[in-house]
Amino acid sequence: MPVNAGYDYFAAQKKYQEAKTLDEKIRALEELIRVSPGHKGAENVLAQLKTKLSKLKSQRVSAKKKSGGRVTTVPKTGAAQVCIVGFANSGKSELLKALTGIGEPSPTPYSTKSPRVGMMLYEDVQIQIVEIPSSMQPEFLSIAHNSELVVFLYDAAKPEDVERLMETAEREDLKNVLWVANVISAKKAVGFAVNASTGENVDELKRAVWHRLRLVRIYTKVAGKPAETRPMTLPKGCTVRDVARDVHKDFLKNFKFARVWGSAKFPGAQVGLDHIVKDKDTIEIHVS
Ligand SMILES: Nc1nc2c(ncn2[C@@H]2O[C@H](COP(=O)(O)OP(=O)(O)O)[C@@H](O)[C@H]2O)c(=O)[nH]1
Ligand SMILES: [Mg+2]
């Protein structure tokens, strides 16, 4: 920890620790380097950070090379992006359809030629779901690298697929993954299973996705008015400071106190910037 590191440094450090994708990590590390104290005592730490940054950048270059320079990206919308990865006919399109209403399942293998995108509603949160083609070419796997969660889907009747899929997971070094068996012809499955065409366990999968994203919903409100009906989402463990900063940077600069319904000692209790917010909190920020 650099001597005399300021608040910005710790905030950037937290962002870096929470970054999941390569691009997010690079962005967070650049920010961390930018806000690092420039004095002598901090030189070593700064050098370490710079080495780490160049390593991550070369990882990104080699990922791009593997895909022949082509990288397909799906612009993120909603609270998070979740990528469905699996072999041909494992039921990815069927699952996309069950989760979002969009998707064209087909008995013909490799019929999904480009990424397919839908929006899943979990309670009042919109989560983007992307199906990538079964070919799993690097240019499509780049989507999995950039998403917050990967659902590895396999046909429960083909245990050999699980092994092959695990090899992919290991090779690609994907961190946040959820293994899901699709009960197509199998009678039963080991582990968490859905039936994408009948919808069995699909609601449980939605809940599992939400939990694995490790987010909290916050409803902001203005004094004397009802709270917003649409929540903002932030990483679990974040504080009133993060909420204030997300609403508007002036809210943080001119912050006086906040009233919190939910995680506070009593409904509407006053809290400071360091208060850790919880899922479904309502927050009223007071500024000077
Ligand atoms: N009975 C049954 N059929 C399924 C299920 N999931 C997919 N299928 C069928 O299996 C075929 C391949 O599904 P699809 O979603 O296109 O697989 P993808 O290649 O992984 O996208 C289609 O004919 C689907 O209707 C399931 O859970 N149960
Ligand atoms: Mg498909």
Side-chain angles (χ1 to χ4, degrees):
M1 184 207 308
V3 206
N4 298 331
Y7 167 71
D8 281 349
Y9 181 84
F10 291 108
Q13 194 176 41
K14 186 160 172 262
K15 231 178 179 166
Y16 174 60
Q17 282 159 355
E18 282 165 0
K20 291 200 185 80
T21 69
L22 196 54
D23 280 344
E24 275 171 19
K25 276 186 196 147
I26 289 172
R27 242 175 292 134
L29 200 50
E30 280 170 344
E31 168 75 9
L32 191 55
I33 289 169
R34 205 177 54 74
V35 299
S36 283
H39 59 76
K40 264 201 155 320
E43 270 170 3
N44 271 346
V45 179
L46 197 57
Q48 278 168 16
L49 294 177
K50 284 182 176 166
T51 311
K52 181 79 197 156
L53 179 64
S54 67
K55 267 192 194 151
L56 290 180
K57 281 190 168 167
S58 62
Q59 260 182 38
R60 186 164 65 178
V61 170
S62 63
K64 278 192 181 152
K65 267 192 195 142
K66 264 204 266 173
S67 62
R70 283 190 314 272
V71 173
T72 306
T73 51
V74 174
K76 290 187 184 183
T77 56
Q81 186 178 75
V82 178
C83 184
I84 306 177
V85 179
F87 293 119
N89 284 0
S90 56
K92 297 182 293 302
S93 297
E94 194 81 58
L95 183 61
L96 179 71
K97 199 171 155 194
L99 294 172
T100 71
I102 285 167
E104 307 101 43
S106 152
T108 314
Y110 300 99
S111 56
T112 309
K113 299 265 189 283
S114 56
R116 289 279 176 271
V117 187
M119 196 61 94
M120 166 183 119
L121 193 65
Y122 171 75
E123 296 180 351
D124 53 0
V125 190
Q126 291 200 307
I127 297 167
Q128 190 185 42
I129 314 284
V130 184
E131 171 196 0
I132 63 163
S134 316
S135 61
M136 291 189 215
Q137 283 151 287
E139 71 163 299
F140 298 131
L141 280 172
S142 67
I143 297 170
H145 281 285
N146 255 311
S147 57
E148 279 74 30
L149 173 68
V150 176
V151 170
F152 275 115
L153 186 71
Y154 59 94
D155 181 341
K158 297 181 184 161
E160 67 280 9
D161 278 4
V162 182
E163 253 170 58
R164 283 171 60 213
L165 215 47
M166 275 172 124
E167 280 166 22
T168 308
E170 251 165 56
R171 190 186 60 237
E172 294 297 323
D173 196 23
L174 294 161
K175 292 278 164 2
N176 199 15
V177 303
L178 199 58
W179 289 87
V180 180
N182 190 16
V183 182
I184 299 175
S185 58
K187 292 273 177 296
K188 56 177 187 208
V190 181
F192 184 77
V194 296
N195 187 322
S197 38
T198 63
E200 202 179 323
N201 256 358
V202 166
D203 283 343
E204 284 72 11
L205 176 59
K206 286 187 182 182
R207 202 168 313 129
V209 164
W210 166 253
H211 284 291
R212 287 297 291 275
L213 288 171
R214 299 186 56 77
L215 296 171
V216 291
R217 280 166 280 193
I218 303 299
Y219 305 86
T220 52
K221 81 182 279 296
V222 174
K225 294 208 175 132
E228 294 284 335
T229 48
R230 285 204 158 229
M232 56 194 277
T233 49
L234 291 128
K236 236 179 202 172
C238 75
T239 59
V240 167
R241 179 181 285 106
D242 300 307
V243 177
R245 191 190 304 110
D246 252 37
V247 174
H248 197 281
K249 64 179 193 315
D250 288 349
F251 265 60
L252 186 56
K253 213 167 72 196
N254 305 324
F255 181 88
K256 269 197 343 208
F257 64 88
R259 285 191 195 285
V260 173
W261 286 259
S263 64
K265 277 195 190 108
F266 56 87
Q270 279 192 25
V271 299
L273 285 172
D274 291 326
H275 178 82
I276 294 172
V277 296
K278 294 268 155 61
D279 187 34
K280 296 189 186 173
D281 272 0
T282 295
I283 300 188
E284 188 180 276
I285 294 171
H286 291 252
V287 289
S288 52

